[in-house]
Amino acid sequence: MPLREHLRELRKRLFLAACGVAVGAVLGWILYDPVFTALQKPLLDTAAHRGGFVSVNFSGLATAFDMKIKVSLFLGMIVTSPWWLYQLWAFITPGLTRRERTYAVGFLSAAVPLFLAGSWLAWWTLPTAVRVLTDFTPKGAANLIDAQVYLSFVMRFVIAFGLAFVLPVVMVAVNFAGLVRAHSWAKGWRWAVLLAFVFSAVMTPTPDAITMIVMAAPIIVLYFAALGICVVHDRRLDKKRLADGLPRLDGTRADGG
């Protein structure tokens, strides 16, 4: 498709994804109270452990209402992840053959569990991050955490790791679309490992290296797993093209020409 059609398709997919998140936010609105209790639990547990006062503070008149809207949208994004991940795939499919478009089921079957797994891993380490950060509060002092700041921290933490776990699936998708060859991903494996650790270090604001390694290791494993799938796909495609007397995608022919 020409560039203008690509932009129209992108706008369409973003609109459909946003509509899906908005519908999911309705469910998030209904489940706000138990979810907010779960969000506040790490702070309350930390307060009980330290023997001090740690709590979420609603500093403005409309902060509570704004907080409820943001939590609802946050839950909507988690609940409707299959829908907007499908929109991502639907944006890629124009570059695929009819047979390759049937891989949508496989894409969603891998992307949705990985997104949820990444989000769960971030949620699992959230109490540790909260405890370490609040431990810097001097004894006898109260720690009133702004609700907006705390929610932004949790949302960035959970969604970022969910998306990081989906990136290997996107690697495979663009490889199947013929946009990036496996050797291109292979050349950048050192940068991929470095970026995985940098990402984990930034997104896990705890001073211990163990937490950073625990968060970075799955991302690195998924990267190399995606790279292996890309290699197998490229070899199979090159073999088929050479059997048909066509040049490989790297420009070489069966006779070496």
Side-chain angles (χ1 to χ4, degrees):
M1 292 190 297
L3 178 60
R4 180 175 297 180
E5 292 298 322
H6 275 295
L7 294 177
R8 289 178 180 174
E9 180 71 9
L10 178 60
R11 182 179 62 184
K12 172 186 174 182
R13 295 303 170 184
L14 289 176
F15 175 75
L16 291 175
C19 289
V21 173
V23 173
V26 175
L27 178 62
W29 184 277
I30 298 173
L31 299 177
Y32 171 76
D33 289 336
V35 171
F36 179 75
T37 301
L39 287 172
Q40 197 177 19
K41 188 176 184 300
L43 294 174
L44 299 178
D45 291 344
T46 299
H49 175 74
R50 293 180 61 252
F53 183 78
V54 180
S55 181
V56 173
N57 178 43
F58 295 91
S59 57
L61 184 63
T63 303
F65 178 71
D66 189 41
M67 178 87 165
K68 189 168 185 177
I69 292 178
K70 289 184 177 181
V71 170
S72 300
L73 291 173
F74 171 65
L75 288 176
M77 188 171 184
I78 299 295
V79 172
T80 61
S81 56
W83 171 251
W84 55 261
L85 284 171
Y86 168 76
Q87 298 304 320
L88 173 63
W89 174 259
F91 177 69
I92 297 174
T93 50
L96 302 179
T97 64
R98 181 175 299 179
R99 178 186 175 185
E100 289 169 337
R101 292 178 188 178
T102 61
Y103 296 152
V105 175
F107 174 83
L108 291 176
S109 299
V112 173
L114 286 174
F115 176 79
L116 296 177
S119 300
W120 175 85
L121 182 61
W123 182 263
W124 178 67
T125 59
L126 179 64
T128 302
V130 171
R131 183 174 63 253
V132 170
L133 293 175
T134 54
D135 278 346
F136 290 99
T137 305
K139 290 185 178 181
N143 195 335
L144 298 176
I145 301 174
D146 184 79
Q148 300 281 19
V149 174
Y150 180 65
L151 177 62
S152 297
F153 167 73
V154 174
M155 290 176 60
R156 186 181 73 242
F157 191 55
V158 173
I159 294 178
F161 271 98
L163 293 177
F165 273 49
V166 174
L167 283 178
V169 184
V170 177
M171 286 173 54
V172 174
V174 297
N175 173 260
F176 277 36
L179 301 177
V180 181
R181 296 273 290 175
H183 66 81
S184 297
W185 296 125
K187 288 180 180 178
W189 73 267
R190 295 178 179 83
W191 284 105
V193 172
L194 176 62
L195 290 175
F197 277 102
V198 171
F199 174 80
S200 299
V202 172
M203 297 307 299
T204 54
T206 55
D208 61 295
I210 296 178
T211 302
M212 181 186 67
I213 294 174
V214 168
M215 300 297 281
I219 299 176
I220 295 173
V221 171
L222 290 172
Y223 173 85
F224 282 104
L227 177 59
I229 295 174
C230 293
V231 170
V232 172
H233 175 260
D234 285 354
R235 287 180 178 175
R236 183 173 56 187
L237 184 61
D238 288 340
K239 184 178 180 181
K240 183 178 182 301
R241 290 177 64 87
L242 292 175
D244 295 338
L246 298 174
R248 301 192 329 175
L249 293 179
D250 59 7
T252 61
R253 300 182 62 90
D255 56 6

